[in-house]
Amino acid sequence: MRICRYGDERVGLLVEDAVVDVTHLVGDHVAPPDRIGALIADWPRLAGAVAAAGRAGTRVPAAGVTLRAPLPRPSKILAAPVNYHAHQQEMGGDGGVYPGAVVADVTTLAGFVKAPSSVVGPDGAIELPALERRFDHEAEIGVVIGRRARDVGRSEAMAHVFGYVPLLDITMRGGEDRSFRKSFDTFTPIGPALVTADEVADHAAIEFALTVNGEPRQRASTRDLIYDIPRLIELYSAAMTLEPGDLIATGTPAGVAPLEPGDEIVLDCGGVGQLIMPVRQRPV
Ligand code: MN
């Protein structure tokens, strides 16, 4: 199933090119921005009713609604630094972002956090601050936690996954800490929907590709992750409790490149969805 957030804090199910309102299944006691999180936390009880609504509910053309970030406020966003070998090589290579540098990977760096306030959806835009700096796109697969996870081993890890979402880890290059450079407002675009884990046959075979203004920039598969998704859940849940609705940005493959105001990014993750984001100057 594909879960979305749209319009005036409605929770929806995307069915083909239509959206079915399932807000009533979450309950009126839940604050509007918390509705998707409540749906995820109560998913074992609600999944059947959501599926039934998808079959029988009133369908409204998705083109006629405004799709918003499907997780407006995760309690945290964990991110894997340098989790593809080809990206590690390009970063430190000749003409790379940090030429000549020995670029450490996830096996050394483990993880960093992005501010939850950096989330934006397909109704918004990536806003670049007016700084003389390089800002890059990073195409990633986002993992959405479904069940509270603490000290979860790799064999149980996937049972804690609610689903997946196309995710961009927008980055300012430079010497500041990653958590600072990657946490500007609008630097974590996600959407258009959360795709439940049952729709993805193999977490280690999710193909994704990114274009900028129609020009191919990144193409990869999660099979090439240095730390795969179960390993990331094992690693992060050993340090901190992962809550339903928390996000893991799994890392970006080779092909990162600078963005300019006026660009349009298309991140196509196959069955996990296609996220289209414009890039503009941050309004002053
Ligand atoms: Mn990244």
mmCIF file of all heavy atoms in Angstrom, residues 2-14 19-23 31-37 39 62 65-74 119-124 165 190-194:
data_model
loop_
_atom_site.group_PDB
_atom_site.id
_atom_site.type_symbol
_atom_site.label_atom_id
_atom_site.label_comp_id
_atom_site.label_asym_id
_atom_site.label_seq_id
_atom_site.Cartn_x
_atom_site.Cartn_y
_atom_site.Cartn_z
ATOM 1 N N ARG A 2 0.313 2.323 -0.553
ATOM 2 C CA ARG A 2 1.048 3.590 -0.642
ATOM 3 C C ARG A 2 0.299 4.634 0.181
ATOM 4 O O ARG A 2 -0.816 5.021 -0.160
ATOM 5 C CB ARG A 2 1.153 4.032 -2.099
ATOM 6 C CG ARG A 2 1.989 3.076 -2.952
ATOM 7 C CD ARG A 2 2.125 3.558 -4.385
ATOM 8 N NE ARG A 2 0.851 3.512 -5.089
ATOM 9 C CZ ARG A 2 0.524 4.282 -6.133
ATOM 10 N NH1 ARG A 2 1.399 5.175 -6.559
ATOM 11 N NH2 ARG A 2 -0.642 4.178 -6.724
ATOM 12 N N ILE A 3 0.919 5.041 1.297
ATOM 13 C CA ILE A 3 0.292 5.951 2.251
ATOM 14 C C ILE A 3 0.791 7.367 1.988
ATOM 15 O O ILE A 3 2.003 7.612 1.916
ATOM 16 C CB ILE A 3 0.652 5.543 3.705
ATOM 17 C CG1 ILE A 3 0.354 4.058 3.957
ATOM 18 C CG2 ILE A 3 -0.075 6.443 4.700
ATOM 19 C CD1 ILE A 3 -1.086 3.666 3.842
ATOM 20 N N CYS A 4 -0.141 8.297 1.895
ATOM 21 C CA CYS A 4 0.255 9.684 1.633
ATOM 22 C C CYS A 4 -0.428 10.633 2.617
ATOM 23 O O CYS A 4 -1.329 10.252 3.368
ATOM 24 C CB CYS A 4 -0.068 10.082 0.198
ATOM 25 S SG CYS A 4 -1.841 10.174 -0.159
ATOM 26 N N ARG A 5 0.041 11.854 2.606
ATOM 27 C CA ARG A 5 -0.552 12.942 3.374
ATOM 28 C C ARG A 5 -0.869 14.032 2.359
ATOM 29 O O ARG A 5 -0.035 14.349 1.507
ATOM 30 C CB ARG A 5 0.462 13.416 4.415
ATOM 31 C CG ARG A 5 0.084 14.641 5.208
ATOM 32 C CD ARG A 5 1.125 14.855 6.320
ATOM 33 N NE ARG A 5 1.095 16.214 6.807
ATOM 34 C CZ ARG A 5 1.925 17.179 6.416
ATOM 35 N NH1 ARG A 5 2.880 16.919 5.545
ATOM 36 N NH2 ARG A 5 1.807 18.400 6.890
ATOM 37 N N TYR A 6 -2.063 14.570 2.419
ATOM 38 C CA TYR A 6 -2.437 15.502 1.360
ATOM 39 C C TYR A 6 -3.407 16.546 1.882
ATOM 40 O O TYR A 6 -4.019 16.389 2.948
ATOM 41 C CB TYR A 6 -3.053 14.746 0.167
ATOM 42 C CG TYR A 6 -4.416 14.148 0.415
ATOM 43 C CD1 TYR A 6 -5.572 14.787 -0.039
ATOM 44 C CD2 TYR A 6 -4.557 12.947 1.099
ATOM 45 C CE1 TYR A 6 -6.830 14.239 0.180
ATOM 46 C CE2 TYR A 6 -5.807 12.398 1.326
ATOM 47 C CZ TYR A 6 -6.940 13.052 0.859
ATOM 48 O OH TYR A 6 -8.178 12.516 1.083
ATOM 49 N N GLY A 7 -3.554 17.593 1.099
ATOM 50 C CA GLY A 7 -4.528 18.640 1.396
ATOM 51 C C GLY A 7 -4.370 19.185 2.799
ATOM 52 O O GLY A 7 -3.264 19.483 3.256
ATOM 53 N N ASP A 8 -5.478 19.286 3.495
ATOM 54 C CA ASP A 8 -5.522 19.854 4.839
ATOM 55 C C ASP A 8 -5.348 18.742 5.869
ATOM 56 O O ASP A 8 -6.283 18.354 6.555
ATOM 57 C CB ASP A 8 -6.850 20.593 5.030
ATOM 58 C CG ASP A 8 -6.931 21.276 6.386
ATOM 59 O OD1 ASP A 8 -5.881 21.432 7.037
ATOM 60 O OD2 ASP A 8 -8.052 21.613 6.796
ATOM 61 N N GLU A 9 -4.106 18.204 5.952
ATOM 62 C CA GLU A 9 -3.757 17.152 6.929
ATOM 63 C C GLU A 9 -4.612 15.899 6.770
ATOM 64 O O GLU A 9 -4.990 15.252 7.752
ATOM 65 C CB GLU A 9 -3.834 17.673 8.367
ATOM 66 C CG GLU A 9 -2.797 18.737 8.693
ATOM 67 C CD GLU A 9 -1.373 18.201 8.741
ATOM 68 O OE1 GLU A 9 -1.168 16.983 8.624
ATOM 69 O OE2 GLU A 9 -0.460 19.040 8.896
ATOM 70 N N ARG A 10 -4.947 15.537 5.532
ATOM 71 C CA ARG A 10 -5.654 14.287 5.299
ATOM 72 C C ARG A 10 -4.641 13.150 5.155
ATOM 73 O O ARG A 10 -3.533 13.343 4.629
ATOM 74 C CB ARG A 10 -6.513 14.342 4.030
ATOM 75 C CG ARG A 10 -7.419 15.547 3.888
ATOM 76 C CD ARG A 10 -8.288 15.787 5.098
ATOM 77 N NE ARG A 10 -9.284 14.744 5.319
ATOM 78 C CZ ARG A 10 -10.061 14.675 6.408
ATOM 79 N NH1 ARG A 10 -9.913 15.573 7.376
ATOM 80 N NH2 ARG A 10 -10.952 13.721 6.538
ATOM 81 N N VAL A 11 -5.030 11.967 5.641
ATOM 82 C CA VAL A 11 -4.233 10.763 5.433
ATOM 83 C C VAL A 11 -4.889 10.000 4.290
ATOM 84 O O VAL A 11 -6.107 9.760 4.322
ATOM 85 C CB VAL A 11 -4.191 9.890 6.694
ATOM 86 C CG1 VAL A 11 -3.395 8.615 6.433
ATOM 87 C CG2 VAL A 11 -3.596 10.675 7.856
ATOM 88 N N GLY A 12 -4.100 9.641 3.303
ATOM 89 C CA GLY A 12 -4.676 8.997 2.125
ATOM 90 C C GLY A 12 -3.972 7.715 1.745
ATOM 91 O O GLY A 12 -2.839 7.443 2.160
ATOM 92 N N LEU A 13 -4.696 6.936 0.960
ATOM 93 C CA LEU A 13 -4.125 5.751 0.344
ATOM 94 C C LEU A 13 -4.127 5.994 -1.158
ATOM 95 O O LEU A 13 -5.181 6.305 -1.736
ATOM 96 C CB LEU A 13 -4.981 4.526 0.696
ATOM 97 C CG LEU A 13 -4.515 3.192 0.119
ATOM 98 C CD1 LEU A 13 -3.184 2.778 0.715
ATOM 99 C CD2 LEU A 13 -5.576 2.119 0.379
ATOM 100 N N LEU A 14 -2.954 5.901 -1.768
ATOM 101 C CA LEU A 14 -2.874 6.061 -3.222
ATOM 102 C C LEU A 14 -3.230 4.724 -3.868
ATOM 103 O O LEU A 14 -2.641 3.683 -3.546
ATOM 104 C CB LEU A 14 -1.472 6.495 -3.641
ATOM 105 C CG LEU A 14 -1.104 7.964 -3.389
ATOM 106 C CD1 LEU A 14 0.366 8.201 -3.711
ATOM 107 C CD2 LEU A 14 -1.981 8.904 -4.222
ATOM 108 N N VAL A 19 -6.590 8.960 -4.986
ATOM 109 C CA VAL A 19 -6.348 8.933 -3.554
ATOM 110 C C VAL A 19 -7.672 8.665 -2.849
ATOM 111 O O VAL A 19 -8.726 9.161 -3.257
ATOM 112 C CB VAL A 19 -5.673 10.244 -3.074
ATOM 113 C CG1 VAL A 19 -6.541 11.457 -3.345
ATOM 114 C CG2 VAL A 19 -5.284 10.165 -1.625
ATOM 115 N N VAL A 20 -7.592 7.803 -1.820
ATOM 116 C CA VAL A 20 -8.759 7.482 -1.000
ATOM 117 C C VAL A 20 -8.494 8.011 0.405
ATOM 118 O O VAL A 20 -7.444 7.721 0.994
ATOM 119 C CB VAL A 20 -9.004 5.963 -0.951
ATOM 120 C CG1 VAL A 20 -10.154 5.624 0.000
ATOM 121 C CG2 VAL A 20 -9.277 5.414 -2.350
ATOM 122 N N ASP A 21 -9.418 8.782 0.939
ATOM 123 C CA ASP A 21 -9.265 9.379 2.268
ATOM 124 C C ASP A 21 -9.441 8.297 3.343
ATOM 125 O O ASP A 21 -10.497 7.651 3.409
ATOM 126 C CB ASP A 21 -10.313 10.482 2.442
ATOM 127 C CG ASP A 21 -10.041 11.342 3.672
ATOM 128 O OD1 ASP A 21 -9.288 10.911 4.564
ATOM 129 O OD2 ASP A 21 -10.608 12.453 3.737
ATOM 130 N N VAL A 22 -8.414 8.087 4.174
ATOM 131 C CA VAL A 22 -8.516 7.118 5.276
ATOM 132 C C VAL A 22 -8.296 7.808 6.629
ATOM 133 O O VAL A 22 -8.029 7.144 7.630
ATOM 134 C CB VAL A 22 -7.534 5.932 5.101
ATOM 135 C CG1 VAL A 22 -7.871 5.135 3.844
ATOM 136 C CG2 VAL A 22 -6.081 6.389 5.065
ATOM 137 N N THR A 23 -8.446 9.124 6.656
ATOM 138 C CA THR A 23 -8.187 9.898 7.877
ATOM 139 C C THR A 23 -9.037 9.397 9.040
ATOM 140 O O THR A 23 -8.565 9.318 10.180
ATOM 141 C CB THR A 23 -8.483 11.392 7.632
ATOM 142 O OG1 THR A 23 -7.886 11.794 6.403
ATOM 143 C CG2 THR A 23 -7.955 12.243 8.764
ATOM 144 N N ALA A 31 -3.509 14.596 16.994
ATOM 145 C CA ALA A 31 -3.216 15.918 16.421
ATOM 146 C C ALA A 31 -2.891 15.769 14.937
ATOM 147 O O ALA A 31 -2.211 14.807 14.541
ATOM 148 C CB ALA A 31 -2.046 16.560 17.154
ATOM 149 N N PRO A 32 -3.372 16.685 14.103
ATOM 150 C CA PRO A 32 -3.218 16.517 12.650
ATOM 151 C C PRO A 32 -1.808 16.164 12.174
ATOM 152 O O PRO A 32 -1.662 15.224 11.383
ATOM 153 C CB PRO A 32 -3.703 17.863 12.103
ATOM 154 C CG PRO A 32 -4.755 18.275 13.079
ATOM 155 C CD PRO A 32 -4.234 17.831 14.431
ATOM 156 N N PRO A 33 -0.737 16.828 12.648
ATOM 157 C CA PRO A 33 0.584 16.463 12.106
ATOM 158 C C PRO A 33 1.069 15.078 12.544
ATOM 159 O O PRO A 33 2.033 14.562 11.992
ATOM 160 C CB PRO A 33 1.516 17.550 12.666
ATOM 161 C CG PRO A 33 0.616 18.630 13.144
ATOM 162 C CD PRO A 33 -0.649 17.962 13.564
ATOM 163 N N ASP A 34 0.387 14.495 13.549
ATOM 164 C CA ASP A 34 0.806 13.188 14.071
ATOM 165 C C ASP A 34 0.020 12.020 13.469
ATOM 166 O O ASP A 34 0.215 10.866 13.865
ATOM 167 C CB ASP A 34 0.651 13.161 15.595
ATOM 168 C CG ASP A 34 1.585 14.136 16.278
ATOM 169 O OD1 ASP A 34 2.666 14.411 15.728
ATOM 170 O OD2 ASP A 34 1.220 14.637 17.364
ATOM 171 N N ARG A 35 -0.881 12.317 12.535
ATOM 172 C CA ARG A 35 -1.780 11.269 12.052
ATOM 173 C C ARG A 35 -1.054 10.133 11.344
ATOM 174 O O ARG A 35 -1.357 8.960 11.554
ATOM 175 C CB ARG A 35 -2.835 11.885 11.110
ATOM 176 C CG ARG A 35 -3.888 12.654 11.871
ATOM 177 C CD ARG A 35 -4.842 13.387 10.956
ATOM 178 N NE ARG A 35 -5.846 14.086 11.760
ATOM 179 C CZ ARG A 35 -6.605 15.079 11.298
ATOM 180 N NH1 ARG A 35 -6.482 15.492 10.050
ATOM 181 N NH2 ARG A 35 -7.482 15.657 12.081
ATOM 182 N N ILE A 36 -0.082 10.470 10.500
ATOM 183 C CA ILE A 36 0.637 9.401 9.787
ATOM 184 C C ILE A 36 1.430 8.562 10.790
ATOM 185 O O ILE A 36 1.465 7.336 10.704
ATOM 186 C CB ILE A 36 1.573 9.997 8.717
ATOM 187 C CG1 ILE A 36 0.740 10.692 7.619
ATOM 188 C CG2 ILE A 36 2.503 8.935 8.159
ATOM 189 C CD1 ILE A 36 0.330 9.832 6.467
ATOM 190 N N GLY A 37 2.047 9.225 11.750
ATOM 191 C CA GLY A 37 2.794 8.489 12.774
ATOM 192 C C GLY A 37 1.893 7.555 13.562
ATOM 193 O O GLY A 37 2.278 6.421 13.872
ATOM 194 N N LEU A 39 -0.871 6.226 12.458
ATOM 195 C CA LEU A 39 -1.241 5.129 11.556
ATOM 196 C C LEU A 39 -0.143 4.070 11.531
ATOM 197 O O LEU A 39 -0.419 2.867 11.596
ATOM 198 C CB LEU A 39 -1.477 5.686 10.145
ATOM 199 C CG LEU A 39 -1.891 4.662 9.084
ATOM 200 C CD1 LEU A 39 -3.347 4.264 9.268
ATOM 201 C CD2 LEU A 39 -1.671 5.213 7.689
ATOM 202 N N ALA A 62 -5.632 11.801 -8.005
ATOM 203 C CA ALA A 62 -4.484 12.319 -7.243
ATOM 204 C C ALA A 62 -3.977 13.631 -7.838
ATOM 205 O O ALA A 62 -3.433 14.477 -7.126
ATOM 206 C CB ALA A 62 -3.365 11.276 -7.200
ATOM 207 N N VAL A 65 -5.212 16.781 -5.988
ATOM 208 C CA VAL A 65 -4.927 17.079 -4.587
ATOM 209 C C VAL A 65 -3.461 17.487 -4.449
ATOM 210 O O VAL A 65 -2.647 17.225 -5.323
ATOM 211 C CB VAL A 65 -5.227 15.880 -3.651
ATOM 212 C CG1 VAL A 65 -6.642 15.376 -3.862
ATOM 213 C CG2 VAL A 65 -4.224 14.765 -3.845
ATOM 214 N N THR A 66 -3.140 18.132 -3.320
ATOM 215 C CA THR A 66 -1.760 18.531 -3.040
ATOM 216 C C THR A 66 -1.127 17.491 -2.125
ATOM 217 O O THR A 66 -1.519 17.352 -0.963
ATOM 218 C CB THR A 66 -1.733 19.912 -2.359
ATOM 219 O OG1 THR A 66 -2.379 20.847 -3.230
ATOM 220 C CG2 THR A 66 -0.308 20.362 -2.104
ATOM 221 N N LEU A 67 -0.164 16.750 -2.658
ATOM 222 C CA LEU A 67 0.537 15.751 -1.852
ATOM 223 C C LEU A 67 1.631 16.439 -1.045
ATOM 224 O O LEU A 67 2.414 17.220 -1.580
ATOM 225 C CB LEU A 67 1.142 14.671 -2.743
ATOM 226 C CG LEU A 67 0.141 13.782 -3.475
ATOM 227 C CD1 LEU A 67 0.867 12.845 -4.441
ATOM 228 C CD2 LEU A 67 -0.700 12.971 -2.490
ATOM 229 N N ARG A 68 1.670 16.134 0.246
ATOM 230 C CA ARG A 68 2.637 16.768 1.150
ATOM 231 C C ARG A 68 3.639 15.718 1.657
ATOM 232 O O ARG A 68 3.487 14.528 1.373
ATOM 233 C CB ARG A 68 1.896 17.423 2.309
ATOM 234 C CG ARG A 68 0.791 18.384 1.827
ATOM 235 C CD ARG A 68 0.256 19.239 2.942
ATOM 236 N NE ARG A 68 -0.908 20.014 2.497
ATOM 237 C CZ ARG A 68 -0.843 21.145 1.780
ATOM 238 N NH1 ARG A 68 0.329 21.638 1.418
ATOM 239 N NH2 ARG A 68 -1.944 21.783 1.416
ATOM 240 N N ALA A 69 4.629 16.154 2.416
ATOM 241 C CA ALA A 69 5.605 15.207 2.973
ATOM 242 C C ALA A 69 4.858 14.143 3.774
ATOM 243 O O ALA A 69 4.109 14.478 4.685
ATOM 244 C CB ALA A 69 6.599 15.934 3.864
ATOM 245 N N PRO A 70 5.036 12.865 3.463
ATOM 246 C CA PRO A 70 4.245 11.838 4.148
ATOM 247 C C PRO A 70 4.617 11.647 5.622
ATOM 248 O O PRO A 70 3.827 11.087 6.373
ATOM 249 C CB PRO A 70 4.511 10.574 3.334
ATOM 250 C CG PRO A 70 5.761 10.842 2.574
ATOM 251 C CD PRO A 70 5.834 12.314 2.360
ATOM 252 N N LEU A 71 5.787 12.106 6.028
ATOM 253 C CA LEU A 71 6.168 12.064 7.454
ATOM 254 C C LEU A 71 6.595 13.475 7.840
ATOM 255 O O LEU A 71 7.774 13.823 7.733
ATOM 256 C CB LEU A 71 7.348 11.115 7.683
ATOM 257 C CG LEU A 71 7.053 9.634 7.748
ATOM 258 C CD1 LEU A 71 8.368 8.850 7.733
ATOM 259 C CD2 LEU A 71 6.261 9.297 9.002
ATOM 260 N N PRO A 72 5.663 14.318 8.269
ATOM 261 C CA PRO A 72 6.027 15.725 8.483
ATOM 262 C C PRO A 72 6.967 15.947 9.657
ATOM 263 O O PRO A 72 7.722 16.916 9.662
ATOM 264 C CB PRO A 72 4.685 16.403 8.721
ATOM 265 C CG PRO A 72 3.754 15.320 9.161
ATOM 266 C CD PRO A 72 4.239 14.065 8.500
ATOM 267 N N ARG A 73 6.901 15.071 10.653
ATOM 268 C CA ARG A 73 7.820 15.268 11.776
ATOM 269 C C ARG A 73 8.235 13.949 12.420
ATOM 270 O O ARG A 73 7.765 13.579 13.491
ATOM 271 C CB ARG A 73 7.230 16.234 12.811
ATOM 272 C CG ARG A 73 5.843 15.942 13.301
ATOM 273 C CD ARG A 73 5.412 17.078 14.243
ATOM 274 N NE ARG A 73 4.275 16.719 15.072
ATOM 275 C CZ ARG A 73 3.556 17.613 15.726
ATOM 276 N NH1 ARG A 73 3.844 18.896 15.649
ATOM 277 N NH2 ARG A 73 2.551 17.235 16.479
ATOM 278 N N PRO A 74 9.153 13.220 11.749
ATOM 279 C CA PRO A 74 9.732 12.033 12.385
ATOM 280 C C PRO A 74 10.454 12.445 13.652
ATOM 281 O O PRO A 74 10.973 13.565 13.735
ATOM 282 C CB PRO A 74 10.716 11.512 11.330
ATOM 283 C CG PRO A 74 11.007 12.676 10.455
ATOM 284 C CD PRO A 74 9.785 13.554 10.472
ATOM 285 N N VAL A 119 12.674 18.279 6.767
ATOM 286 C CA VAL A 119 11.765 17.537 5.876
ATOM 287 C C VAL A 119 10.904 18.493 5.061
ATOM 288 O O VAL A 119 10.401 19.501 5.571
ATOM 289 C CB VAL A 119 10.868 16.582 6.699
ATOM 290 C CG1 VAL A 119 9.720 16.034 5.844
ATOM 291 C CG2 VAL A 119 11.693 15.434 7.258
ATOM 292 N N VAL A 120 10.756 18.154 3.780
ATOM 293 C CA VAL A 120 9.843 18.873 2.898
ATOM 294 C C VAL A 120 9.214 17.832 1.963
ATOM 295 O O VAL A 120 9.783 16.749 1.778
ATOM 296 C CB VAL A 120 10.599 19.979 2.116
ATOM 297 C CG1 VAL A 120 11.589 19.379 1.134
ATOM 298 C CG2 VAL A 120 9.644 20.931 1.410
ATOM 299 N N GLY A 121 8.070 18.154 1.425
ATOM 300 C CA GLY A 121 7.385 17.213 0.538
ATOM 301 C C GLY A 121 7.290 17.730 -0.878
ATOM 302 O O GLY A 121 7.817 18.804 -1.204
ATOM 303 N N PRO A 122 6.581 16.965 -1.729
ATOM 304 C CA PRO A 122 6.472 17.352 -3.132
ATOM 305 C C PRO A 122 5.672 18.629 -3.361
ATOM 306 O O PRO A 122 5.673 19.156 -4.475
ATOM 307 C CB PRO A 122 5.779 16.144 -3.788
ATOM 308 C CG PRO A 122 5.261 15.311 -2.695
ATOM 309 C CD PRO A 122 5.980 15.658 -1.444
ATOM 310 N N ASP A 123 5.023 19.127 -2.303
ATOM 311 C CA ASP A 123 4.313 20.404 -2.415
ATOM 312 C C ASP A 123 5.255 21.597 -2.220
ATOM 313 O O ASP A 123 4.848 22.744 -2.404
ATOM 314 C CB ASP A 123 3.186 20.480 -1.374
ATOM 315 C CG ASP A 123 3.690 20.267 0.042
ATOM 316 O OD1 ASP A 123 4.605 19.430 0.244
ATOM 317 O OD2 ASP A 123 3.188 20.936 0.965
ATOM 318 N N GLY A 124 6.512 21.322 -1.831
ATOM 319 C CA GLY A 124 7.460 22.393 -1.561
ATOM 320 C C GLY A 124 8.582 22.429 -2.581
ATOM 321 O O GLY A 124 8.414 21.994 -3.728
ATOM 322 N N VAL A 165 10.561 5.056 1.286
ATOM 323 C CA VAL A 165 10.154 6.320 0.666
ATOM 324 C C VAL A 165 11.340 6.881 -0.136
ATOM 325 O O VAL A 165 12.490 6.791 0.328
ATOM 326 C CB VAL A 165 9.670 7.316 1.757
ATOM 327 C CG1 VAL A 165 10.799 7.729 2.695
ATOM 328 C CG2 VAL A 165 8.998 8.526 1.144
ATOM 329 N N ILE A 190 11.071 14.207 0.942
ATOM 330 C CA ILE A 190 10.576 12.821 0.916
ATOM 331 C C ILE A 190 9.207 12.789 0.249
ATOM 332 O O ILE A 190 8.462 13.751 0.281
ATOM 333 C CB ILE A 190 10.477 12.180 2.320
ATOM 334 C CG1 ILE A 190 9.587 13.016 3.246
ATOM 335 C CG2 ILE A 190 11.842 11.942 2.925
ATOM 336 C CD1 ILE A 190 9.239 12.307 4.560
ATOM 337 N N GLY A 191 8.880 11.649 -0.338
ATOM 338 C CA GLY A 191 7.556 11.467 -0.901
ATOM 339 C C GLY A 191 7.636 10.826 -2.288
ATOM 340 O O GLY A 191 8.709 10.423 -2.719
ATOM 341 N N PRO A 192 6.496 10.696 -2.968
ATOM 342 C CA PRO A 192 5.196 11.243 -2.587
ATOM 343 C C PRO A 192 4.426 10.393 -1.580
ATOM 344 O O PRO A 192 3.464 10.884 -1.015
ATOM 345 C CB PRO A 192 4.450 11.285 -3.935
ATOM 346 C CG PRO A 192 5.063 10.184 -4.725
ATOM 347 C CD PRO A 192 6.505 10.128 -4.315
ATOM 348 N N ALA A 193 4.855 9.147 -1.335
ATOM 349 C CA ALA A 193 4.097 8.259 -0.447
ATOM 350 C C ALA A 193 5.048 7.305 0.254
ATOM 351 O O ALA A 193 6.170 7.066 -0.202
ATOM 352 C CB ALA A 193 3.065 7.465 -1.241
ATOM 353 N N LEU A 194 4.583 6.762 1.385
ATOM 354 C CA LEU A 194 5.291 5.667 2.050
ATOM 355 C C LEU A 194 4.768 4.368 1.454
ATOM 356 O O LEU A 194 3.563 4.124 1.469
ATOM 357 C CB LEU A 194 5.008 5.682 3.554
ATOM 358 C CG LEU A 194 5.200 7.016 4.289
ATOM 359 C CD1 LEU A 194 4.846 6.837 5.768
ATOM 360 C CD2 LEU A 194 6.624 7.529 4.125
#
